[in-house]
Amino acid sequence: MKRFLVVGTVGLFSFIIMSCQQNKSPEPCGPIPSENQMQWQEMEYYAFVHFSLNTYTDQSWGYGNEDVKLFNPEKADCRQWARICKEAGMKGIIITAKHHCGFCLWPSEYTAYSVKNAPWKDGNGDMVREMADACKEYGLKLGIYLSPWDRNHPDYGKPEYITYFRNQLTELLTNYGEIFEVWFDGANGGDGYYGGANETRKIDRTTYYDWKNTYTLIRKLQPNIVIWNDGGDRGDLRWVGTEEGFVGETNWSLLNDTGEVTWSMLHYGLETGNAWVPAEVNTSIRPEWFYHPVEDSKVKTVPQLMETYYNAIGRNGTLLLNFPIMPNGLIHPTDEKMALEFGKAVKESFAVNLVEKARAEASHVRGNDKRFGATKAIDGNKDTYWATDDSITKASLTIDLGKPTLFNRFLVQEYIPLGQRVKAFTFEALVDGNWKEVAKATTIGYKRLLRFPSVKATKVRFTITDSKGCPVISNIGVYNAPVFLNTPSIARNQAGEVSLTTNDIGPVFYYTTDGSEPTTASNLYHYPFIADGKVEIKAIAFDPASGKSSPVGTEKLDISRKDWRIIGIDDESASKILDGNTATVWHKRGEKILPFGLVVDLGNNFMVGGFKYLPDQNKWSSGIITNYRFYVSSDNKSWKLVSEGEFSNIKNNPVWQIRTFAPVNARYIKLKALKNTQGDDVAGFAEIDLVTK
Ligand code: FUL
């Protein structure tokens, strides 16, 4: 009896202690964001602008010897950039103050290679200042891209350069007001001008820059900053392993403090990581980062940008979208149009939260305390949350929509100041009295968005099926977002047959072959059609049920490849290089095969003014060519070198590489692969094409 009393009293006592604890906010679970990371995460969407001497040389990376005199943007207007970004719903702009070529957009005291020696404003211009002023005027935050690799500076590779780099950082972080983010790209191809040395300089990126002391300096100068670094040290934010605009569906905002960071860790984060390192998705509104006129018809359309939105912000990342600035110093009108339409589409998509302030019930509530009740997830207040007792890792929340309601999007946010917890969840809808699972996913983090076909239901149920600790959910949303038809893809095979495709189910296509804008009165697409030779194809997808059209897809096709023959290769599958299918690739493998020259007989003579190379689209593949020479010939015997150089950023951004030169008459072409991204014995070709006059 005595024993029973003792046990009973102890039990009651611990029950009381437990419930008191549960009436308190949950303790943080694992690493948590710093105040700066939190401020940054809440920005969600901001811009990059890429502008440098590359803008005038049609390059992706300058070598460092380009003439400063080229820089003369006669209409430069940072206020235009800021206005567009603001109207598009962005919260800040990161400017390429210095790209890999070393040219500075501000009149740095420490180099002559800057705007101060350019014709722009007679050397009195300061683009970083103008950007800072414009950001201020439009209520945007300012960020700085300062390339650690400097292909111009004579001291690059020596200890002296670190002083130079820090001096420049000091200028940028002192003279332009508050900076929200600093961006250190890790690219380093080794070779460069280096003050005239024209050589290859290798550095060990983990030690050379002495990041630790550089970070101390940065944080001293800008206490509210976040550091992005892909150059040999883990900063406050991480790259997602691709520049295509998506992060992993599972995305932990965690990494380990020390140790190797693999591609998979960049892309998915690390569930067991001991440091908070959230993901930033950086991508360009065009295929490349700098402006190239050939890409004027390749600006991403609203459906493409929406896809990026869901795959970045909708997967617990931020979105850093780039605008390449034109040589005149402005954002191209098409880029502006797409960015503004995209901003409008995002606004429209999430305008009405169908569950805000609805009736909600939770399977568990922390300490049965209203402060942690279900309604806290739908009260529109980011500082309140629904939470359960510490021991609970499976819980659900049911929301009554009041009447049958149509929706196709689900939004959920964890209260990340207490850590990222949820490992798996489902989302169900009550349709005709039965629960139906409409979506399921893994991590949540700051924000998770799920898309599914429209469903009409009276109730919805969000269930956490696995979590690292008790769930802490700050916000839930259910939306009926407009659906956009994807821009059709246009491809031509070697026989000259053009096919139109899309991922959507149901639409029909209309197209033109004379450069005019397609409408529903244009040619209706039934089967692949012949459109050989130089032709501009424009196409739209059209959904007869809704009467909606997609944006226009455009493809400028050059001469026919019908008579082209790959010479000297006894392998039929080499025809994949000309099949118009970007997913198929041919590889030349073998010991010491590089340099390897791929020779094509064009069947006739043409005025060849450029060539196009598409690398393997599989980023894991070897054979992605980085250094090339391109030759032409009229007899397949004597060859003339017409272009040579590097496909600069091909590893991170494996898009079409286009090189132009003064047109020459040729019947044979040779693309010689000198080196690839992996430094092994493979040359891979997805497609080869030409630019003719
Ligand atoms: C890359 C750079 O090498 C590109 O040129 C660009 O600046 C991009 C944002 O980062 O990896």
Side-chain angles (χ1 to χ4, degrees):
M1 179 66 182
K2 204 171 161 197
R3 212 175 129 217
F4 174 77
L5 257 180
V6 171
V7 172
T9 317
V10 170
L12 184 68
F13 198 59
S14 45
F15 173 76
I16 293 168
I17 291 178
M18 283 264 291
S19 352
C20 289
Q21 278 175 347
Q22 312 290 271
N23 282 348
K24 287 205 199 116
S25 313
E27 289 296 317
C29 171
I32 55 167
S34 67
E35 184 57 35
N36 295 4
Q37 286 169 319
M38 200 59 220
Q39 298 274 338
W40 161 87
Q41 185 92 52
E42 286 177 347
M43 288 174 70
E44 291 194 10
Y45 177 37
Y46 43 94
F48 237 158
V49 286
H50 270 66
F51 194 26
S52 187
L53 291 176
N54 297 348
T55 310
Y56 299 88
T57 55
D58 217 4
Q59 283 168 301
S60 310
W61 290 353
Y63 188 71
N65 62 351
E66 293 75 17
D67 191 350
V68 282
K69 297 277 176 286
L70 291 170
F71 193 80
N72 194 13
E74 72 282 2
K75 291 190 182 147
D77 182 6
C78 294
R79 296 182 67 250
Q80 185 233 18
W81 316 351
R83 174 186 57 75
I84 294 169
C85 293
K86 184 71 183 185
E87 285 176 13
M90 296 166 143
K91 298 287 174 354
I93 303 181
I94 302 179
I95 184 170
T96 50
K98 182 182 86 169
H99 203 254
H100 312 325
C101 70
F103 176 72
C104 301
L105 289 185
W106 81 104
S108 172
E109 202 188 296
Y110 304 98
T111 179
Y113 205 48
S114 85
V115 283
K116 71 183 176 200
N117 287 310
W120 179 57
K121 299 199 166 170
D122 294 325
N124 295 314
D126 181 346
M127 201 60 85
V128 178
R129 165 84 49 229
E130 294 192 10
M131 184 79 272
D133 290 347
C135 280
K136 206 161 172 203
E137 180 181 340
Y138 284 90
L140 297 166
K141 295 187 179 183
L142 176 67
I144 296 288
Y145 176 120
L146 185 73
S147 171
W149 184 28
D150 188 319
R151 291 174 112 176
N152 174 267
H153 204 275
D155 287 342
Y156 185 79
K158 302 178 194 155
E160 291 84 335
Y161 173 77
I162 304 308
T163 309
Y164 172 72
F165 185 62
R166 288 192 185 141
N167 282 340
Q168 293 207 315
L169 256 180
T170 306
E171 288 182 317
L172 291 164
L173 302 186
T174 309
N175 299 334
Y176 299 95
E178 179 147 312
I179 304 297
F180 81 95
E181 178 170 343
V182 68
W183 226 84
F184 299 128
D185 190 76
N188 190 329
D191 60 343
Y193 172 70
Y194 304 129
N198 289 310
E199 58 189 20
T200 297
R201 294 186 181 175
K202 296 256 186 269
I203 52 113
D204 175 351
R205 47 196 238 144
T206 57
T207 52
Y208 177 58
Y209 298 108
D210 178 20
W211 287 117
K212 198 166 160 275
N213 286 310
T214 303
Y215 285 7
T216 308
L217 172 73
I218 295 171
R219 297 199 199 282
K220 190 179 102 217
L221 297 173
Q222 293 281 340
N224 299 328
I225 207 165
V226 281
I227 301 169
W228 188 99
N229 194 347
D230 174 41
D233 189 272
R234 186 187 64 66
D236 300 321
L237 317 173
R238 66 173 215 270
W239 185 43
V240 296
T242 169
E243 293 178 352
E244 279 164 66
F246 64 100
V247 61
E249 274 192 63
T250 295
N251 178 15
W252 291 99
S253 292
L254 308 174
L255 279 186
N256 272 342
D257 232 344
T258 52
E260 198 200 349
V261 179
T262 61
W263 187 87
S264 139
M265 291 178 200
L266 290 175
H267 203 58
Y268 303 106
L270 190 63
E271 185 181 329
T272 55
N274 61 11
W276 188 270
V277 191
E280 176 185 81
V281 177
N282 65 308
T283 193
S284 184
I285 197 162
R286 291 165 176 243
E288 293 258 15
W289 295 97
F290 282 94
Y291 180 78
H292 306 286
V294 289
E295 292 184 347
D296 283 353
S297 60
K298 292 287 161 218
V299 182
K300 289 179 187 159
T301 59
V302 172
Q304 287 167 322
L305 292 167
M306 278 313 286
E307 190 64 28
T308 304
Y309 185 87
Y310 285 108
N311 294 340
I313 296 175
R315 291 184 181 172
N316 186 31
T318 58
L319 174 56
L320 171 53
L321 182 69
N322 175 64
F323 294 104
I325 304 300
M326 291 191 289
N328 68 2
L330 294 173
I331 293 178
H332 191 280
T334 309
D335 304 38
E336 170 175 0
K337 182 167 177 282
M338 294 310 173
L340 297 194
E341 284 179 12
F342 169 47
K344 208 166 132 233
V346 171
K347 242 193 186 157
E348 254 173 61
S349 300
F350 304 104
V352 183
N353 183 355
L354 299 165
V355 297
E356 194 168 295
K357 307 212 165 77
R359 234 162 31 98
E361 245 175 69
S363 62
H364 303 78
V365 171
R366 187 175 184 81
N368 280 325
D369 185 332
K370 272 200 192 130
R371 284 180 305 155
F372 307 116
T375 52
K376 301 297 175 190
I378 50 173
D379 62 0
N381 180 347
K382 70 179 171 62
D383 298 322
T384 61
Y385 48 82
W386 162 54
T388 69
D389 288 344
D390 288 341
S391 58
I392 305 295
T393 52
K394 291 183 173 57
S396 65
L397 196 134
T398 308
I399 307 173
D400 193 345
L401 296 162
K403 56 175 191 297
T405 307
L406 197 67
F407 54 88
N408 56 11
R409 301 286 183 266
F410 176 61
L411 172 151
V412 54
Q413 298 186 270
E414 285 185 83
Y415 184 73
I416 55 167
L418 293 176
Q420 186 181 359
R421 300 157 178 251
V422 175
K423 293 209 252 182
F425 67 96
T426 63
F427 182 64
E428 297 161 290
L430 190 67
V431 184
D432 300 329
N434 300 312
W435 284 109
K436 186 180 157 206
E437 184 177 290
V438 290
K440 83 196 234 190
T442 51
T443 49
I444 298 176
Y446 172 72
K447 187 179 267 191
R448 187 72 212 262
L449 291 164
L450 299 183
R451 290 176 284 177
F452 41 85
S454 293
V455 45
K456 199 176 219 172
T458 49
K459 284 186 182 179
V460 292
R461 184 162 66 193
F462 160 58
T463 304
I464 291 145
T465 53
D466 196 6
S467 179
K468 282 180 162 186
C470 71
V472 182
I473 303 297
S474 72
N475 188 28
I476 280 182
V478 172
Y479 304 88
N480 192 29
V483 175
F484 300 96
L485 283 181
N486 285 303
T487 314
S489 304
I490 305 167
R492 181 171 76 183
N493 66 15
Q494 203 187 346
E497 291 164 351
V498 173
S499 48
L500 307 179
T501 49
T502 178
N503 289 335
D504 298 323
I505 301 166
V508 294
F509 303 113
Y510 292 94
Y511 67 92
T512 62
T513 54
D514 59 4
S516 62
E517 290 304 285
T519 66
T520 49
S522 308
N523 303 305
L524 176 64
Y525 176 82
H526 295 288
Y527 305 106
F529 57 93
I530 294 283
D532 215 3
K534 284 197 166 202
V535 59
E536 184 171 9
I537 312 280
K538 290 195 172 189
I540 50 166
F542 174 75
D543 175 28
S546 63
K548 282 189 181 173
S549 297
S550 75
V552 178
T554 304
E555 213 55 67
K556 280 189 183 151
L557 301 163
D558 212 283
I559 54 168
S560 167
R561 294 192 293 177
K562 206 187 285 166
D563 298 328
W564 291 20
R565 266 184 330 113
I566 292 169
I567 301 191
I569 291 170
D570 191 17
D571 176 0
E572 269 184 23
S573 66
S575 61
K576 288 177 184 166
I577 303 172
L578 304 176
D579 66 0
N581 182 349
T582 54
T584 60
V585 194
W586 182 78
H587 289 103
K588 174 73 181 175
R589 297 173 201 275
E591 229 175 283
K592 303 228 160 51
I593 54 109
L594 293 188
F596 168 76
L598 180 88
V599 180
V600 182
D601 175 1
L602 307 175
N604 271 303
N605 277 60
F606 295 97
M607 285 304 284
V608 178
F611 77 95
K612 294 164 76 176
Y613 162 65
L614 186 75
D616 194 334
Q617 296 299 286
N618 169 8
K619 57 169 69 62
W620 303 117
S621 173
S622 58
I624 296 179
I625 303 168
T626 51
N627 293 74
Y628 74 93
R629 285 202 188 108
F630 188 79
Y631 304 83
V632 295
S633 166
S634 52
D635 57 6
N636 191 20
K637 285 192 190 96
S638 65
W639 291 93
K640 181 174 179 208
L641 177 68
V642 284
S643 173
E644 72 178 313
E646 64 183 13
F647 299 130
S648 313
N649 196 26
I650 198 165
K651 187 168 181 195
N652 289 349
N653 194 20
V655 296
W656 277 102
Q657 307 294 310
I658 306 168
R659 296 291 179 271
T660 52
F661 40 81
V664 273
N665 196 280
R667 155 107 192 221
Y668 299 88
I669 56 164
K670 175 158 45 182
L671 175 58
K672 195 180 246 184
L674 306 178
K675 272 200 234 160
N676 69 21
T677 52
Q678 305 200 345
D680 57 10
D681 287 324
V682 190
F685 305 83
E687 290 289 309
I688 295 281
D689 213 335
L690 284 184
V691 180
T692 63
K693 281 277 159 223

